Amino acid sequence: TLATDEMLVEMLAGQEIARLKAIDTYAADPGISNVADFAKNFPIRLNSEKEKIIALQPDLVLLADWKEKEFVQALRDAKIPVFVFKAANNFDELRTSIALIASLVGIPAQGQAMQAKVDARLKAVADRLKNLPADKRLTVLSYTFYGSTYAKGTNFDALCEKAGLVNVATKAGMSGWPQVSKEKIIELDPDMITMPSWSYDGKKDPVKFTADFINDPIFAGLKSVRNKRVIVMQDRHMAPTSQYMVDGVEDLARAAYPELFK
């Protein structure tokens, strides 16, 4: 998984990195990966190729919890130890994930150091926001290429909370990744709207998508459009479920309250 690749590249820095035998193909994509510079020169990148995984005879394989049961079982039938990893959707779950991955590979101290860095950066943001009254916190909506948003229970919602923002989708009682119509966006009328920077298939243009949204006459009255707060945010910071979630917090807080980060 990309999340565990991002964790392990940092935890195994130095000579320990030789223990890492293969990484996910997306680890080399700078649009979504925070370890792309490392990954682009890494010799083995895999994408659901169980024969290649088995050929490597690794001591441990980390797989996402959405991976097909048949795929997981095929590796286990080949006597390959597999750990099915549940991605974090908030910072409490991230803490658990970091400690778990560090423990699984026998380097708990590196996990503790990683968590300490995350905590220190979150505290630095909190210190900047400490005098921001609750009624002055800006509202935000994330809008995707597919007309959906990120609501309660998603990692974006967790980023908003730490960045001193109110996710209007969550406030409206939504959860998960619901579709939002144009009419609903007008009803919610957030102070800020975040736009994607990366598409899974590479066929979507973030600049055009954002321009089309801003220039759509139906959205002319939105606060975010009038105040030029429809912003393309880096998905490698908005979407991670690794230690890089904290980068998303910093990005959102700086975009919302630039005056507090001078």
Side-chain angles (χ1 to χ4, degrees):
T1 77
L2 179 55
T4 53
D5 285 343
E6 289 182 336
M7 292 182 201
L8 288 172
V9 167
E10 181 175 334
M11 289 181 187
L12 297 171
Q15 293 183 340
E16 289 276 299
I17 201 67
R19 297 172 59 192
L20 192 60
K21 296 304 179 184
I23 58 178
D24 189 87
T25 52
Y26 283 106
D29 186 336
I32 196 64
S33 170
N34 293 284
V35 292
D37 287 343
F38 167 87
K40 66 184 179 183
N41 295 315
F42 196 82
I44 303 177
R45 299 196 295 272
L46 302 175
N47 182 19
S48 298
E49 298 157 289
K50 58 178 175 287
E51 292 80 9
K52 291 184 178 180
I53 295 174
I54 293 169
L56 289 169
Q57 287 295 295
D59 296 316
L60 177 66
V61 175
L62 299 168
L63 292 178
D65 63 347
W66 44 260
K67 198 67 190 146
E68 302 88 348
K69 291 182 180 178
E70 294 78 12
F71 189 97
V72 176
Q73 192 58 48
L75 293 182
R76 288 176 172 161
D77 289 344
K79 308 303 181 187
I80 303 294
V82 174
F83 182 82
V84 178
F85 173 78
K86 182 184 182 301
N89 282 320
N90 57 59
F91 283 92
D92 286 338
E93 291 180 1
L94 176 62
R95 179 182 296 277
T96 299
S97 295
I98 290 173
L100 181 58
I101 297 304
S103 177
L104 282 169
V105 296
I107 48 174
Q110 283 87 331
Q112 292 165 7
M114 178 180 287
Q115 185 61 55
K117 286 170 62 177
V118 171
D119 289 342
R121 291 172 64 184
L122 287 175
K123 183 180 184 302
V125 173
D127 287 344
R128 298 271 187 171
L129 301 174
K130 64 183 179 182
N131 294 322
L132 182 68
D135 62 351
K136 296 297 182 182
R137 297 195 168 204
L138 299 184
T139 57
V140 63
L141 176 77
S142 173
Y143 192 58
T144 76
F145 288 122
Y146 310 101
S148 60
T149 190
Y150 292 79
K152 183 179 179 180
T154 65
N155 60 330
F156 179 79
D157 194 56
L159 303 186
C160 290
E161 180 184 358
K162 297 294 187 182
L165 290 162
V166 176
N167 185 350
V168 290
T170 296
K171 187 178 180 181
M174 302 179 196
S175 61
W177 301 266
Q179 294 293 119
V180 281
S181 65
K182 290 185 176 182
E183 293 75 17
K184 190 64 177 180
I185 294 173
I186 292 170
E187 176 190 330
L188 295 172
D189 195 17
D191 295 306
M192 189 167 86
I193 295 178
T194 68
M195 293 293 197
S197 66
W198 177 87
S199 69
Y200 178 81
D201 57 12
K203 296 178 181 179
K204 310 292 191 302
D205 183 341
V207 175
K208 182 179 185 303
F209 180 72
T210 302
D212 289 346
F213 183 96
I214 293 170
N215 294 322
D216 189 331
I218 197 171
F219 294 138
L222 288 177
K223 286 182 289 189
S224 56
V225 172
R226 289 187 282 107
N227 296 326
K228 300 187 180 343
R229 281 194 154 173
V230 179
I231 307 169
V232 175
M233 303 296 290
Q234 292 301 308
D235 279 322
R236 64 193 180 95
H237 291 170
M238 294 295 105
T241 54
S242 68
Q243 73 273 28
Y244 292 100
M245 285 173 65
V246 71
D247 289 78
V249 173
E250 292 172 349
D251 287 0
L252 284 170
R254 287 178 182 277
Y257 312 109
E259 68 281 2
L260 299 180
F261 289 84
K262 292 179 179 177

